[in-house]
Amino acid sequence: MPKQQHTPKRDCVRVVPLATPELAKRVATPQSAQLVYNNGPLIASVQVFGIFWGTEWQQATLAGMIPEVNQFFDYILTSPLIDQLAEYSVPQYSIQHGKRAGSVALPTPDVPKTVDDSAIQKMIQQQISAGKLPSATPDLLYFVFLPSGVTVTQGGSASCKAFCGYHDAIGKDVFYAVMPFPDCSGCSSGLSNLDALTVTASHELCEAITDPVPGDGWYDNQNGEIGDICAWQTKKVGAYTVQKEWSNQAGRCV
Ligand SMILES: [Zn+2]
């Protein structure tokens, strides 16, 4: 299925893959990776706006996670996880701390049980027009969280079958990330729901900052984006479990 809106030079890797034994073997044997800058935009001071889509987020079991996810962004956007991305600053874009610009629960229209990326893009654009979401800016990153039981499809593949999250751009200037709920072992990797989400969200966050238009920013033609090279290698930053990211300077995942 061709990608809508923009036509990348190639179908760029921009998903969190499932945690599988094959993946573990691959990331355990580090190949030489090198991210190359392709002269496109970066997100200099990311402003994250969370969107908790679907009535499920109103119900007790999930409602408690919204403040937890908000607190994660409040902390992580001024943490060493952002500092370590400074090596990817370029003259036009100096990567600095960001902040959480806000978040919203969006019960209506409710999210369908299977939702395609095209419907997620449409929802974002409609909610911007309706004034429920802030307008896009070069620093704004919409983070869409889906409730348990919802399958996301994108590019002909599905969450919990092929991926655990992804980020992309509508056109070349509306940046967003999509977080299906970690409903399967491949996307929870034995972690709590919150830890699985912070691992996946940190992966997509760092990728959106360094490669908001997939393939136009920092990209490795063999290995993909900054997070793909280190998929499911985790570490603690403060109280949070996050993913390691590739460092060109260190020559490894840090
Ligand atoms: Zn990725």
Side-chain angles (χ1 to χ4, degrees):
M1 187 194 290
K3 280 294 298 167
Q4 55 280 52
Q5 307 289 338
H6 73 101
T7 45
K9 295 182 283 279
R10 55 215 163 242
D11 188 23
C12 293
V13 178
R14 59 199 173 289
V15 306
V16 182
L18 269 62
T20 60
E22 293 72 34
L23 179 78
K25 210 177 298 167
R26 181 155 57 81
V27 296
T29 48
Q31 303 122 348
S32 58
Q34 182 74 25
L35 294 169
V36 172
Y37 181 49
N38 292 313
N39 296 309
L42 308 179
I43 299 182
S45 175
V46 67
Q47 313 289 299
V48 169
F49 197 93
I51 304 165
F52 297 87
W53 191 11
T55 50
E56 290 275 316
W57 288 109
Q58 315 289 302
Q59 290 163 12
T61 44
L62 288 191
M65 288 192 75
I66 295 179
E68 292 180 320
V69 171
N70 285 341
Q71 285 161 21
F72 163 70
F73 283 119
D74 287 338
Y75 174 79
I76 212 71
L77 294 171
T78 58
S79 79
L81 185 72
I82 304 300
D83 297 333
Q84 76 184 66
L85 303 179
E87 67 173 279
Y88 298 108
S89 290
V90 296
Q92 311 94 291
Y93 301 98
S94 169
I95 298 174
Q96 299 166 21
H97 288 175
K99 73 170 196 297
R100 186 173 62 86
S103 71
V104 66
L106 186 70
T108 49
D110 203 357
V111 62
K113 285 295 170 201
T114 297
V115 62
D116 188 64
D117 180 56
S118 57
I120 294 171
Q121 291 194 5
K122 190 187 269 183
M123 177 276 288
I124 292 171
Q125 290 171 307
Q126 286 175 339
Q127 296 300 316
I128 292 171
S129 299
K132 297 267 180 66
L133 298 178
S135 297
T137 74
D139 282 330
L140 198 68
L141 177 62
Y142 304 97
F143 243 99
V144 181
F145 289 86
L146 285 319
S148 182
V150 170
T151 297
V152 180
T153 56
Q154 190 256 14
S157 52
S159 58
C160 272
K161 293 269 193 291
F163 62 83
C164 305
Y166 63 91
H167 77 96
D168 206 348
I170 305 172
K172 291 208 176 225
D173 47 18
V174 179
F175 306 134
Y176 70 104
V178 176
M179 298 286 106
F181 203 82
D183 278 329
C184 54
S185 61
C187 292
S188 66
S189 192
L191 301 169
S192 70
N193 286 334
L194 182 66
D195 286 350
L197 276 178
T198 58
V199 167
T200 308
S202 61
H203 175 130
E204 298 305 335
L205 174 68
C206 293
E207 292 189 340
I209 290 171
T210 56
D211 193 32
V213 179
D216 284 3
W218 289 94
Y219 196 82
D220 176 322
N221 282 337
Q222 250 66 56
N223 302 290
E225 296 178 325
I226 188 171
D228 303 322
I229 305 164
C230 311
W232 291 102
Q233 296 185 47
T234 63
K235 65 176 181 178
K236 282 275 186 186
V237 174
Y240 294 102
T241 305
V242 298
Q243 203 201 273
K244 292 184 178 180
E245 308 296 333
W246 180 259
S247 167
N248 275 353
Q249 278 179 8
R252 59 188 168 86
C253 299
V254 296

